[in-house]
Amino acid sequence: LFLGTPPTSMAINASTTLMVGVINNTANDVVTWTVTCGSPGACGHFNSTVSLSSSPVTYTAPAAIPTGSTVTLTATSQADTTKSISATITITPPIPISVTFYVPPPAAMQVNSTAPIRAAIANDVSADPEVEWSVTCSASTCGSFNPAATTSEAATTFTAPPAVPTGGTVTVTATSITDSTKSVSTSIVITPAAPTLANGTYEIGR
């Protein structure tokens, strides 16, 4: 029997952990795992094709939806191959990657000032999902980022340009490195530096 309920659907390349329990056979509680589908050889794979009773195995879905859209996972007792249990899983397209600002960037910044900006990445199954930061404006210098790429929710430091650009705004963008069609952008108003008073004694007129 399955220990826990197997998923009814999985996105391509996604992984899940499965366990089965063997009862009434303490002498040999090993099971063999197999997967079948309508596209032989492209049904996904296990990290191990054998496991002990109640020990986890990891199944990874195929890289493409197989013919018929389903795969069947089967655990068979090695002590008695007439005893097995199976689960059918529907393979679905990947959930689209999304990029959002983790904390809203400032609405306005003075020239040459700095601010931390963070982006959150969702549904990216790559080993180390990142976004690349860019900035555009109507001037030749629009500001800079350090670092230029960050992982989900990690901060980059944005430095505003040294002068107010034409139009008064810059647009900062975080773009998924895994899927460059997924990004998030916002405009920041760039303001002149606040005036400073020279050293001296000042009298407020009446």
Side-chain angles (χ1 to χ4, degrees):
L1 73 164
F2 279 106
L3 302 179
T5 304
T8 58
S9 65
M10 294 176 63
I12 60 173
N13 292 317
S15 297
T16 189
T17 299
L18 303 167
M19 289 187 292
V20 295
V22 177
I23 57 177
N24 301 326
N25 192 337
T26 58
N28 184 353
D29 60 354
V30 178
V31 296
T32 300
W33 292 89
T34 56
V35 56
T36 57
C37 69
S39 300
C43 304
H45 62 275
F46 296 95
N47 67 323
S48 176
T49 57
V50 295
S51 71
L52 295 174
S53 175
S54 304
S55 295
V57 297
T58 299
Y59 167 72
T60 300
I65 297 175
T67 300
S69 301
T70 64
V71 297
T72 299
L73 313 183
T74 302
T76 303
S77 167
Q78 285 193 355
D80 182 354
T81 57
T82 67
K83 302 297 188 293
S84 65
I85 189 169
S86 297
T88 298
I89 299 174
T90 300
I91 305 301
T92 63
I95 302 172
I97 292 172
S98 67
V99 181
T100 58
F101 286 116
Y102 183 62
V103 176
M109 295 175 64
Q110 291 184 7
V111 293
N112 289 318
S113 64
T114 61
I117 303 178
R118 303 170 186 260
I121 310 164
N123 306 322
D124 189 336
V125 297
S126 60
D128 191 20
E130 291 184 296
V131 293
E132 185 172 30
W133 293 92
S134 60
V135 58
T136 57
C137 68
S138 57
S140 58
T141 302
C142 303
S144 61
F145 295 94
N146 184 28
T150 56
T151 56
S152 183
E153 301 179 14
T156 183
T157 299
F158 174 65
T159 301
V164 177
T166 302
T169 64
V170 298
T171 300
V172 298
T173 301
T175 303
S176 165
I177 292 178
T178 302
D179 182 354
S180 61
T181 67
K182 302 300 186 291
S183 64
V184 64
S185 299
T186 192
S187 294
I188 299 176
V189 175
I190 305 300
T191 62
T196 57
L197 297 176
N199 293 332
T201 301
Y202 297 88
E203 181 178 345
I204 300 175
R206 297 181 179 178

